[in-house]
Amino acid sequence: MPNMQLNKTPAAEQEPKIRARNFKEVTSCYTDEEAKNESERCLNCKNKPCVSGCPVGVRIPEFIAKVREGCISEAYDIIKSTNGLPAVCGRVCPQESQCESKCVRGIKGEPVGIGRLERYCADYMADKAKNAEKPEPNGHKVAIIGSGPSGLSCASDLARLGYEVTVFEAFHTAGGVLMYGIPEFRLPKATVLREVDGLKELGVDIRTDMVIGKILSVDELFEQGYEAVFIGTGAGLPNFMNIPGESLVGVFSANEYLTRTNLMKAYLDEYDTPISKNSKVAVVGGGNVAMDAARSALRLGADKVYIVYRRSEEEMPARREEVHHAKEEGIDFRYLTNPTEILGDENGRVRAIKCLSMELTEPDQSGRRGVKPIEGSEHEIEVDAVIMAIGTSPNPLIRSTTPGLETNRRGCFVVDENMLTSREGVYAGGDAVTGAATVILAMGAGKTAAKAIDEYIKNK
Amino acid sequence: MYKILKKRELNSQVTLMELEAPLIAKKAKAGQFVIFRIDEYGERIPLTVADYDREKGSVTIIFQKVGRSTMMLGNLNEGDCILDLVGPLGIPTEIPEGAKKVAVIGGGVGCAIAYPQAKALYNAGIEVDVIAGFRNKDIVILEEEMRAVSTNYYITTDDGSYGTKGFVTNKLQELIDAGNKYDCVIAIGPVPMMKFVCAVTKPYNIKTIVSLNPIMIDGTGMCGGCRVRVGGQIKYACVDGPDFDGHEVDFDELMKRNSAYRDQEAYDREHICRLTGGVRNA
Ligand SMILES: Cc1cc2nc3c(=O)[nH]c(=O)nc-3n(C[C@H](O)[C@H](O)[C@H](O)COP(=O)(O)OP(=O)(O)OC[C@H]3O[C@@H](n4cnc5c(N)ncnc54)[C@H](O)[C@@H]3O)c2cc1C
Ligand SMILES: Cc1cc2nc3c(=O)[nH]c(=O)nc-3n(C[C@H](O)[C@H](O)[C@H](O)COP(=O)(O)OP(=O)(O)OC[C@H]3O[C@@H](n4cnc5c(N)ncnc54)[C@H](O)[C@@H]3O)c2cc1C
Ligand code: FES
């Protein structure tokens, strides 16, 4: 008999007041009992609707059945067979719009906590997983540019097939957004490092401080004997709003703020990285990036943090859990509010943000509701820092140094269903192709590309 | 790890280091820069590639010890290593098309950044007048090196203890008044100096290139911290520069932005640099 409890088995969380002042992980892993209890809520449906909601088709009911039996190692292997980064995805995937949105239990009550169970398996196995065996080299070399989830998963799959894989990363640490963007309190860096170390054990050579397009071009990689190249360079270029006042001291892109905090550990005393100490911070945007920046500002000591978002709560693209956690921590959400100017003091430092209130318009043909400003609603919010989290676009560095690589209007690489670009032997995937998206999609793209690269080299 | 092959103190504040970095040496061009990180706890700090030796596989940096990171770098010796060095970054200096005569102006440690540019121009057969300005005689750097790559070399000191007394702008005005026709002026130094050089050249409509040094993190365009206003538009100095048309640059905004972390850095300087001499965990 399945467990018919309506709600997900809760996972322990740090108290909001306490966690809002530290960088330790917010949510704990399920205990063995909690995991077992939650696994018993799964009905093991014949048609597996949850699997259809997973971009990489994790065999969800199968792994949950193994958790129920207490065979965690087997559950983990089932996940791993289609998802290379379960510890990461279990924590950061937008489950509510993917697997869990299809769960039958969600019709009446809450869906099964698939993400939490996935994380449980990964954390449980963290110190138990057997060292990957280094496969027999097949004598072919592949270069991967960028070490975010797309690059890491492509590297992993190719290395397992015996390819000699080199990953080139511009930053001093591998991991992409997982290292520089998503904060420690949501995704501990040790978890990411474990994935990277796993790759090294497979023989993958990770070369940091290598900005491709500057130190080496894609064509030079081919000259060096790489037979195929995968571009997983993400969408790292921050957008600004182009409103007056964005050059004031105290205005940051979320990328800058989060990089200083996460990659360069500004919150730890032993690191030299300076970060501005602000008391009132406005974060503009409504996605995961905005939530992460807002909650980081709080943890860095701000007294008051606002999320300024031009649409309403329903349209916010952030993971539901993050919004919920942010609210609990005391972040002040200003919906239907659009900044028009950032105001500075005589020293050129931020003193306030000027905003207009917005209202929703009637749905258009596509059913989407727009927003329009309410006349005379101009108001100021007093802040000493503004963080812009309104989206990013791909970096032009590779595009502009590689002849013959087709990109679209937004600067994203154009690829076919096998992630092949307009150049023979050059593949691309992840945010560099889709624009800012999700970890799981980037990882899936890396896997698709790895398969295509293997075919390509074998048939050459 | 990147090994320090050579270290030379140019004056009490400024140090030259040659670093082993074969890949960067192979690609570097005048006007480009590198970003270094001393160790796991270090900041990412941009420095210009002052010179490179492609055969030997080395790049030379010349830096002024102004704060924590540069002091800690200055404490290292030949044979020591730094953890990270990334580059070459930025757009190389473009040799102005058809230019026959160029004035290269360096202020203080700015001479280190101006040197590779003067050298590139000189080697391209262009007549190069160098004006090097310093506060006083004790901090003069790169005199010999600059002389070797210039047609005429002028030196000014604020207090007159060496060369001509006065600012580089006085000398530039004097040379223009004397009938020198410059196709282009390249000015590199403290922001106020670059601003005043631009004010001198503006009435004559002499194209003036400046090299900007905003606060940077990644150097690849992903943080936007290095944004500067040029011709009313936002540019990222790390990827669109660091060289820009000086007559278009908003210098006042740059000065304000560069002071963003002043208080924290002053604290660091007092507490880390003075008390411990820049030694970590001392
Ligand atoms: C703050 C933040 C929070 C997020 N939260 C979530 C979340 O909760 N859930 C979720 O699913 N997704 C989230 N995302 C989105 C997710 O992280 C990305 O979609 C994903 O990381 C994209 O992976 P990628 O491999 O395409 O690129 P990235 O992770 O962006 O990695 C690209 C890597 O390439 C390197 N690179 C770039 N150019 C070069 C070059 N020229 N040479 C060498 N290396 C280069 C970069 O330094 C970087 O390391 C978040 C993103 C951010 C910024
Ligand atoms: C493209 C580029 C090339 C550069 N090339 C050289 C070079 O060849 N030689 C050299 O000596 N310096 C160069 N600089 C400046 C150098 O990066 C700074 O001096 C360095 O960041 C100071 O770091 P710190 O930790 O030692 O001092 P900090 O403690 O960070 O700063 C000490 C003082 O310097 C000021 N400061 C901080 N950052 C900068 C900056 N980017 N520019 C100017 N002042 C700053 C601070 O306001 C403070 O007053 C360059 C900068 C850029 C952006
Ligand atoms: S240094 Fe980050 S964008 Fe220029």
Side-chain angles (χ1 to χ4, degrees):
Chain A
M1 247 314 267
N3 171 353
M4 290 316 284
Q5 149 200 332
L6 282 185
N7 292 330
K8 284 183 191 175
T9 310
E13 286 176 359
Q14 282 194 72
E15 281 298 318
K17 273 219 164 59
I18 293 171
R19 70 173 190 245
R21 296 294 180 212
N22 71 49
F23 273 86
K24 289 194 231 116
E25 197 168 12
V26 169
T27 314
S28 303
C29 187
Y30 271 159
T31 61
D32 296 347
E33 293 72 43
E34 288 164 347
K36 184 151 195 307
N37 189 58
E38 186 61 17
S39 69
E40 284 164 355
R41 293 186 64 228
C42 175
L43 302 175
N44 207 351
C45 310
K46 276 249 141 38
N47 56 346
K48 307 179 177 56
C50 49
V51 178
S52 71
C54 174
V56 299
V58 169
R59 283 141 46 211
I60 296 165
E62 269 181 69
F63 99 74
I64 294 183
K66 289 295 171 193
V67 174
R68 193 161 47 227
E69 291 164 27
C71 306
I72 313 304
S73 166
E74 284 170 50
Y76 180 73
D77 288 343
I78 293 172
I79 304 174
K80 264 283 204 182
S81 68
T82 55
N83 180 348
L85 302 168
V88 176
C89 292
R91 288 172 165 87
V92 306
C93 266
Q95 287 94 3
E96 75 273 10
S97 55
Q98 299 181 5
C99 52
E100 293 182 15
S101 75
K102 309 274 161 124
C103 178
V104 172
R105 294 298 305 265
I107 299 169
K108 188 163 172 272
E110 286 182 342
V112 174
I114 301 170
R116 291 180 186 171
L117 288 170
E118 180 181 33
R119 170 185 170 183
Y120 165 77
C121 294
D123 285 11
Y124 181 92
M125 293 303 291
D127 50 359
K128 301 182 189 68
K130 36 203 179 304
N131 279 357
E133 274 163 53
K134 219 175 191 171
E136 228 12 70
N138 69 9
H140 297 285
K141 281 171 51 171
V142 177
I144 312 265
I145 310 174
S147 62
S150 68
L152 293 179
S153 66
C154 188
S156 164
D157 283 11
L158 288 169
R160 281 169 211 278
L161 292 169
Y163 287 91
E164 190 186 317
V165 180
T166 312
V167 177
F168 296 94
E169 166 57 47
F171 260 129
H172 54 256
T173 310
V177 169
L178 307 182
M179 282 310 275
Y180 78 71
I182 305 182
E184 178 78 17
F185 57 83
R186 219 152 60 79
L187 178 62
K189 297 310 139 211
T191 303
V192 184
L193 285 176
R194 206 177 306 122
E195 300 296 343
V196 174
D197 287 344
L199 277 191
K200 289 184 188 156
E201 272 167 30
L202 278 172
V204 173
D205 182 12
I206 298 188
R207 301 183 59 191
T208 51
D209 294 334
M210 297 289 280
V211 182
I212 301 302
K214 287 290 183 185
I215 191 135
L216 288 170
S217 65
V218 169
D219 288 296
E220 282 166 321
L221 291 174
F222 282 110
E223 283 163 27
Q224 293 192 354
Y226 293 100
E227 291 168 67
V229 173
F230 174 77
I231 307 174
T233 47
L237 229 62
N239 298 339
F240 284 90
M241 291 187 75
N242 294 322
I243 56 174
E246 278 182 316
S247 296
L248 292 167
V249 175
V251 182
F252 308 92
S253 71
N255 263 4
E256 175 177 0
Y257 198 78
L258 290 169
T259 301
R260 283 183 186 276
T261 312
N262 300 319
L263 183 71
M264 299 170 57
K265 311 254 187 296
Y267 65 94
L268 295 176
D269 273 348
E270 58 268 38
Y271 282 75
D272 297 344
T273 317
I275 190 133
S276 70
K277 300 267 185 284
N278 304 106
S279 56
K280 295 199 193 90
V281 180
V283 178
V284 183
N288 287 319
V289 185
M291 298 306 132
D292 285 345
R295 297 170 72 200
S296 295
L298 205 59
R299 284 159 172 78
L300 286 163
D303 304 318
K304 182 83 195 168
V305 180
Y306 303 92
I307 288 272
V308 176
Y309 182 55
R310 57 192 285 258
R311 297 171 181 278
S312 69
E313 178 162 10
E314 285 78 74
E315 283 90 17
M316 273 210 307
R319 288 181 83 219
R320 281 292 151 252
E321 190 183 10
E322 310 314 330
V323 179
H324 169 71
H325 280 156
K327 282 187 185 160
E328 281 186 341
E329 289 165 13
I331 307 268
D332 188 341
F333 283 74
R334 299 292 172 96
Y335 302 112
L336 291 167
T337 304
N338 198 27
T340 53
E341 185 177 354
I342 302 165
L343 306 168
D345 64 14
E346 63 281 8
N347 297 319
R349 294 181 177 244
V350 172
R351 86 172 163 74
I353 182 165
K354 198 193 259 180
C355 302
L356 278 173
S357 300
M358 314 290 280
E359 60 188 350
L360 289 169
T361 56
E362 289 307 310
D364 62 10
Q365 291 102 313
S366 64
R368 211 177 119 98
R369 301 183 75 177
V371 284
K372 66 168 200 278
I374 301 175
E375 233 174 279
S377 65
E378 209 166 63
H379 57 282
E380 287 179 17
I381 307 176
E382 207 182 292
V383 290
D384 55 3
V386 175
I387 302 173
M388 290 293 175
I390 53 165
T392 52
S393 32
N395 198 317
L397 204 50
I398 300 230
R399 168 182 11 133
S400 63
T401 53
T402 315
L405 260 190
E406 202 187 315
T407 51
N408 67 16
R409 200 168 35 84
R410 294 181 299 144
C412 301
F413 294 109
V414 176
V415 297
D416 69 8
E417 68 283 1
N418 293 317
M419 304 292 149
L420 176 65
T421 65
S422 52
R423 284 263 316 249
E424 187 188 333
V426 181
Y427 297 74
D431 284 2
V433 165
T434 55
T438 58
V439 172
I440 189 89
L441 286 173
M443 201 207 69
K447 286 182 95 68
T448 307
K451 204 159 144 244
I453 289 171
D454 180 44
E455 293 289 317
Y456 166 70
I457 292 179
K458 275 200 312 223
N459 296 329
K460 225 165 62 163
Chain B
M1 296 294 256
Y2 300 83
K3 195 156 144 198
I4 300 169
L5 301 173
K6 194 168 96 183
K7 175 183 178 184
R8 187 153 66 92
E9 307 286 354
L10 300 185
N11 67 34
S12 64
Q13 297 299 314
V14 179
T15 306
L16 174 150
M17 275 183 185
E18 196 180 329
L19 303 169
E20 186 172 58
L23 285 174
I24 300 177
K26 215 160 132 190
K27 280 293 172 75
K29 292 207 178 89
Q32 289 190 296
F33 65 96
V34 288
I35 288 181
F36 79 87
R37 202 170 70 117
I38 263 195
D39 58 18
E40 170 55 28
Y41 305 103
E43 287 181 83
R44 294 172 61 98
I45 301 286
L47 291 175
T48 304
V49 177
D51 211 347
Y52 48 79
D53 186 330
R54 299 208 206 279
E55 263 90 76
K56 195 170 164 196
S58 69
V59 296
T60 300
I61 50 173
I62 298 175
F63 58 94
Q64 183 159 20
K65 291 168 270 186
V66 293
R68 178 182 343 217
S69 302
T70 44
M71 281 191 198
M72 288 185 40
L73 182 62
N75 280 343
L76 298 181
N77 290 307
E78 287 174 11
D80 291 345
C81 289
I82 56 171
L83 184 58
D84 294 292
L85 192 70
V86 52
L89 301 169
I91 299 177
T93 306
E94 277 170 40
I95 294 184
E97 214 173 311
K100 293 195 184 63
K101 188 175 169 114
V102 173
V104 175
I105 306 177
V109 75
C111 287
I113 305 175
Y115 170 70
Q117 306 208 2
K119 186 173 164 183
L121 293 167
Y122 190 76
N123 288 343
I126 294 167
E127 200 178 322
V128 178
D129 282 0
V130 169
I131 308 173
F134 301 92
R135 276 199 316 280
N136 60 54
K137 177 167 184 270
D138 299 336
I139 56 168
V140 170
I141 56 164
L142 299 174
E143 180 174 356
E144 251 170 71
E145 288 84 349
M146 277 292 204
R147 277 190 195 281
V149 296
S150 55
T151 319
N152 296 295
Y153 177 81
Y154 306 95
I155 195 160
T156 67
T157 50
D158 297 4
D159 64 356
S161 53
Y162 196 61
T164 321
K165 180 175 156 74
F167 299 122
V168 288
T169 39
N170 305 133
K171 180 53 91 183
L172 175 65
Q173 186 69 59
E174 192 186 307
L175 290 170
I176 294 174
D177 291 343
N180 287 286
K181 290 260 176 295
Y182 295 113
D183 302 308
C184 176
V185 169
I186 296 177
I188 305 173
V191 181
M193 182 208 94
M194 294 192 279
K195 182 179 164 179
F196 288 124
V197 168
C198 290
V200 171
T201 56
K202 180 94 204 197
Y204 306 94
N205 237 335
I206 307 173
K207 187 176 171 69
T208 304
I209 310 281
V210 295
S211 181
L212 302 187
N213 50 7
I215 295 170
M216 292 186 175
I217 300 187
D218 53 294
T220 63
M222 69 74 73
C223 77
C226 67
R227 57 198 192 276
V228 290
R229 195 179 298 273
V230 182
Q233 290 198 317
I234 295 295
K235 299 275 179 192
Y236 288 2
C238 68
V239 287
D240 301 325
D243 291 354
F244 292 100
D245 179 344
H247 293 147
E248 302 277 324
V249 170
D250 185 338
F251 290 106
D252 296 332
E253 189 174 278
L254 175 63
M255 276 187 258
K256 286 189 183 137
R257 288 188 59 79
N258 269 357
S259 72
Y261 297 101
R262 199 171 37 207
D263 298 346
Q264 268 181 71
E265 281 158 348
Y267 176 89
D268 278 1
R269 235 179 352 269
E270 280 305 309
H271 291 255
I272 314 307
C273 308
R274 293 266 157 71
L275 296 182
T276 68
V279 178
R280 210 182 276 299
N281 303 327

